[in-house]
Amino acid sequence: MRTLVITQNITVDGSIEMLGDWFDPQGQAKEENSDLLEELHHQDSQADGFLVGRRTFEALRAYWPDLSDDPTGISDYLNRVQKYVVSSTMIDPQWQNSTVLSGDPLEEVRGLKANPGRDIVVTGSITLCHTLIEADLVDEYRLFFYPAVQGRGRRLFPDGFECPALRLLEAKVFRSGITYSRYDAS
């Protein structure tokens, strides 16, 4: 069975909703972020599925596919990875290697997990993440904590959701001050 991983950029006060300027995807190409970018590429090499909700997909599709001269390599990864979009309204994803999952999202994700392959990564997609978390389908959390306080915004876990103790699998500190924690949720 494939591993379903939620990977999120998060402020130290727990917000994953990007309402301010604390996260810059192109900033990852700066020299002080080379160790962070190395970690991202390592994780990308372990995944062959990228799962998102429609709004996150549309935001990514508007930015990454035609980005020329991307020093981060993220556009290359997103163009080649198999993307799965959970949507009841989208018909044509208009991005190579993309499949629309229009059925029951939980059944669709269970089906993806049951197929052979490597990690399936979910990022952004706060509503989808909440649905997957509440259905106990998440195997791992990979959290990149940015040294910023946003003071507002939606959180990774749904309000009122209680999770048994997560098991820390890995932790790193990057030169930029960003920290990374990987947790087993199973």
Side-chain angles (χ1 to χ4, degrees):
M1 181 169 278
R2 294 165 83 180
T3 300
L4 182 68
V5 177
I6 289 181
T7 298
Q8 294 289 1
N9 299 305
I10 188 168
T11 61
V12 292
D13 63 334
S15 180
I16 61 172
E17 187 174 18
M18 294 178 197
L19 300 173
D21 61 358
W22 57 271
F23 175 77
D24 172 18
Q26 288 301 312
Q28 296 171 9
K30 295 177 182 174
E31 178 58 33
E32 73 258 16
N33 288 329
S34 63
D35 54 345
L36 172 63
L37 195 55
E38 183 179 316
E39 176 62 32
L40 294 174
H41 289 307
H42 168 72
Q43 290 185 25
D44 291 348
S45 73
Q46 303 301 309
D48 63 0
F50 187 74
L51 175 67
V52 289
R54 181 190 50 81
R55 285 182 286 188
T56 297
F57 179 82
E58 289 175 343
L60 293 169
R61 185 184 64 195
Y63 184 80
W64 290 106
D66 298 321
L67 189 64
S68 60
D69 205 24
D70 173 21
T72 67
I74 295 170
S75 61
D76 290 338
Y77 169 74
L78 288 174
N79 281 328
R80 75 175 177 271
V81 72
Q82 180 59 52
K83 293 167 285 300
Y84 301 98
V85 187
V86 174
S87 176
S88 61
T89 59
M90 182 179 285
I91 296 169
D92 181 2
Q94 302 173 4
W95 193 359
Q96 65 193 15
N97 302 320
S98 297
T99 302
V100 177
L101 304 177
S102 58
D104 176 288
L106 298 178
E107 290 306 313
E108 296 273 15
V109 171
R110 284 184 185 104
L112 289 175
K113 286 183 68 169
N115 289 330
R118 297 183 307 226
D119 294 348
I120 303 166
V121 175
V122 185
T123 195
S125 310
I126 299 169
T127 301
L128 176 59
C129 286
H130 287 181
T131 300
L132 297 171
I133 290 167
E134 289 175 325
D136 195 29
L137 288 175
V138 180
D139 300 301
E140 271 188 27
Y141 295 99
R142 297 177 186 167
L143 307 176
F144 292 87
F145 290 92
Y146 282 69
V149 174
Q150 185 167 259
R152 58 195 162 91
R154 293 186 293 166
R155 311 266 187 254
L156 174 58
F157 295 97
D159 286 342
F161 180 81
E162 291 187 32
C163 187
L166 301 172
R167 187 168 59 92
L168 181 66
L169 299 173
E170 182 179 16
K172 293 182 179 182
V173 178
F174 300 103
R175 288 189 301 269
S176 62
I178 297 167
T179 61
Y180 165 69
S181 299
R182 181 169 67 106
Y183 296 96
D184 180 0
S186 54

